[in-house]
Amino acid sequence: MATQPLSSTSTFPSLFCSNSNGVGFYKFRSSLYSHHVSVSSSSLPMAKTNQSISRLCYLQTHLPKSGNGCSWIQDNSLCHSVSASVEGYRGSVCYSLPTKPAQVSTVADLFEFICSGPLIEKLGLSPESVADAIDKWLAYGSYLCRLFKANEMELTIPQKARFYHYYIPVFFWCEDQISQHQSSFKEGEEIPPLVIGFSAPQGCGKTTLVYALNYLFEVTGRKSAMLSIDDFYLTAEGQAQLRERNPGNALLELRGNAGSHDLELSVETLTALSKLTKEDKGLKMKLPRYDKSAFSGRGDRADPSTWPEVEGPLTVVLFEGWMLGFKPLPTEAVTAVDPQLETVNNNMKVYYDAWDKYIKAWIVIKINDPSCVYYWRLQAEIAMREAGKPGMTDEEVRDFVSRYLPAYKAYLPVLYSEGPSGSDPKRLLVVEIDEERNPILGY
């Protein structure tokens, strides 16, 4: 019988490990598995259940007397030397966490919140499996608090949802995909890094998601690399030539659509990353980056001296993009949306061999209305202007997004119904999000 997510409105007992004679265990198990999720006790493996509950109870009754940087966790070794890891991580992190330990009810409430997440059932998790891995959930939550400068004892509901309903469940899925990938190789064989593709519309938070996942891999001792399809845009000179070859086509006037990428650079980069195996320990390579601010916003490839460097052996490559996994369609299907898409569609026919064939696991972030892209982009530009930074006007945002909307209207329905180009349905995770960029229950 499938285990259902916990109700977010249910109430946990304040102490469910009150003594050593099992009373607390029974009270917790009864409320958790009978009342909250309506699963009969006979359907549960009792030994496994009690082991998981014991794990939770141990965490609650052995909380540290003072903060140690992982204040929900009894054993500081679980933090994997996080203080040393975050110091070397690019970007700001937060060290000013409270020293007051979490109360017993805090762990219980957080556990209930985790189990109410919309991805729990989709990922095949259950309250029992969450309890069994609760130390990891708490450690990962602490890491993300440092990364995003959040106080782990005073998280808002949106922060908790972003961390425990979205980033951490997706990280668990990525870990499982990596395990499957590595187990497919024989002992002694070189194992290339798993390339995970993230296909998601602009502004929906995919870059932030990848940033969080990359950080979690780093602080848990595994090397990863971040790439975006934006990194492979043509140089400013190449873009000018593209405009000249396609006069009057607004979809190819600026960077973005198929045809505006340096596919040879894509192949070179992804091939080189695949060779950063365990046998190449210490070997380094630079990852291309793109400067969107160059040439008054038209953009250009960044100076190679500024490109970030990665070192082998790599475990995973996180590759994200707004049109990743799009499939070319019959000409009449795209011209019905916009006649200018015909050239874009023809350009797309060579993208599989440059991008998608390297991707062995996929995450598709699904939206119901492509018009959200406009509002998300507008929010970002308004925030930039309010911060005193250069930002597009509302009209410029409308013009910018209008060059992408035809592709969204043509290709997203197929992406959502059939999956990305060349993808394996067993290695595909679809996460549907709302207007606030949080995951929701999708069907």
Side-chain angles (χ1 to χ4, degrees):
M1 184 174 181
T3 303
Q4 300 298 319
L6 291 176
S7 167
S8 59
T9 59
S10 56
T11 303
F12 268 69
S14 58
L15 286 173
F16 46 78
C17 250
S18 55
N19 54 43
S20 59
N21 62 11
V23 173
F25 285 99
Y26 175 81
K27 185 178 181 183
F28 176 78
R29 180 169 56 81
S30 175
S31 62
L32 177 61
Y33 291 110
S34 298
H35 175 67
H36 291 293
V37 295
S38 302
V39 177
S40 65
S41 59
S42 62
S43 67
L44 294 169
M46 187 61 65
K48 180 70 172 177
T49 300
N50 283 342
Q51 181 183 31
S52 300
I53 303 308
S54 298
R55 194 175 186 82
L56 259 180
C57 294
Y58 181 83
L59 285 168
Q60 295 194 86
T61 55
H62 292 76
L63 287 168
K65 299 299 182 182
S66 61
N68 63 4
C70 271
S71 43
W72 276 321
I73 301 172
Q74 189 272 336
D75 184 358
N76 193 34
S77 65
L78 293 171
C79 294
H80 193 83
S81 304
V82 68
S83 60
S85 298
V86 296
E87 285 176 2
Y89 193 77
R90 57 185 179 277
S92 302
V93 291
C94 177
Y95 292 96
S96 57
L97 294 175
T99 57
K100 182 180 179 181
Q103 301 300 315
V104 170
S105 59
T106 301
V107 179
D109 290 344
L110 181 62
F111 174 77
E112 181 180 12
F113 185 83
I114 290 171
C115 293
S116 71
L119 295 182
I120 291 296
E121 186 175 5
K122 178 185 283 285
L123 298 179
L125 301 176
S126 65
E128 179 189 6
S129 62
V130 171
D132 194 46
I134 193 65
D135 50 353
K136 288 186 176 181
W137 284 88
L138 300 179
Y140 298 162
S142 289
Y143 298 150
L144 292 176
C145 285
R146 286 159 177 73
L147 179 63
F148 293 105
K149 295 185 176 181
N151 186 327
E152 64 179 322
M153 295 306 158
E154 298 178 1
L155 290 178
T156 64
I157 294 299
Q159 287 174 324
K160 287 173 66 177
R162 192 62 56 86
F163 293 173
Y164 294 100
H165 287 177
Y166 194 4
Y167 296 167
I168 297 175
V170 170
F171 183 66
F172 276 116
W173 183 86
C174 290
E175 288 189 311
D176 181 64
Q177 293 299 309
I178 291 170
S179 296
Q180 292 184 45
H181 172 71
Q182 294 179 341
S183 65
S184 66
F185 292 85
K186 297 178 181 179
E187 186 175 355
E189 287 185 320
E190 292 187 0
I191 302 177
L194 172 66
V195 181
I196 302 178
F198 296 76
S199 182
Q202 297 144 308
C204 74
K206 64 182 177 300
T207 302
T208 305
L209 169 64
V210 168
Y211 182 72
L213 297 175
N214 183 72
Y215 180 72
L216 288 175
F217 279 118
E218 181 173 326
V219 297
T220 53
R222 289 161 290 184
K223 294 180 180 179
S224 60
M226 293 186 294
L227 278 179
S228 169
I229 64 173
D230 296 358
D231 299 326
F232 301 123
Y233 280 135
L234 295 170
T235 62
E237 180 181 358
Q239 289 178 47
Q241 294 172 354
L242 180 67
R243 285 193 296 274
E244 293 172 1
R245 293 194 302 269
N246 298 274
N249 191 326
L251 303 184
L252 295 172
E253 183 179 352
L254 302 175
R255 67 180 185 269
N257 283 289
S260 65
H261 302 89
D262 186 338
L263 299 186
E264 184 177 347
L265 178 62
S266 304
V267 172
E268 291 175 357
T269 302
L270 291 166
T271 300
L273 285 172
S274 70
K275 296 178 180 178
L276 287 181
T277 66
K278 63 181 181 180
E279 301 300 327
D280 299 313
K281 188 172 184 180
L283 183 64
K284 300 179 180 180
M285 68 170 285
K286 287 192 171 185
L287 300 179
R289 290 295 184 258
Y290 191 81
D291 181 3
K292 296 180 180 180
S293 66
F295 292 96
S296 301
R298 286 189 176 269
D300 195 7
R301 190 164 300 151
D303 189 313
S305 65
T306 67
W307 295 1
E309 198 171 58
V310 292
E311 180 181 7
L314 285 181
T315 299
V316 62
V317 175
L318 308 174
F319 186 23
E320 55 98 348
W322 73 274
M323 55 169 284
L324 210 58
F326 282 10
K327 301 175 183 178
L329 302 175
T331 300
E332 59 272 17
V334 297
T335 55
V337 175
D338 189 326
Q340 299 178 105
L341 269 178
E342 182 175 0
T343 303
V344 172
N345 193 61
N346 288 333
N347 292 337
M348 194 176 293
K349 293 176 182 178
V350 296
Y351 271 63
Y352 174 81
D353 287 331
W355 290 355
D356 300 342
K357 79 172 185 179
Y358 294 92
I359 299 172
K360 304 305 179 186
W362 286 88
I363 294 176
V364 172
I365 301 176
K366 180 181 179 181
I367 61 173
N368 288 320
D369 184 1
S371 65
C372 287
V373 173
Y374 167 74
Y375 296 107
W376 289 333
R377 184 73 190 198
L378 186 61
Q379 287 175 351
E381 295 299 326
I382 291 175
M384 289 179 65
R385 297 200 300 261
E386 291 178 345
K389 300 178 181 179
M392 289 188 286
T393 65
D394 293 3
E395 185 57 38
E396 288 172 332
V397 171
R398 188 173 293 106
D399 176 69
F400 177 83
V401 174
S402 70
R403 300 172 191 270
Y404 294 88
L405 286 179
Y408 284 134
K409 292 177 180 178
Y411 299 110
L412 282 184
V414 177
L415 177 73
Y416 296 157
S417 63
E418 299 180 5
S421 177
S423 63
D424 179 352
K426 296 180 180 179
R427 308 204 67 179
L428 168 65
L429 173 64
V430 178
V431 179
E432 187 170 343
I433 62 171
D434 59 19
E435 292 80 1
E436 300 301 320
R437 307 178 182 88
N438 287 318
I440 57 177
L441 287 172
Y443 299 96

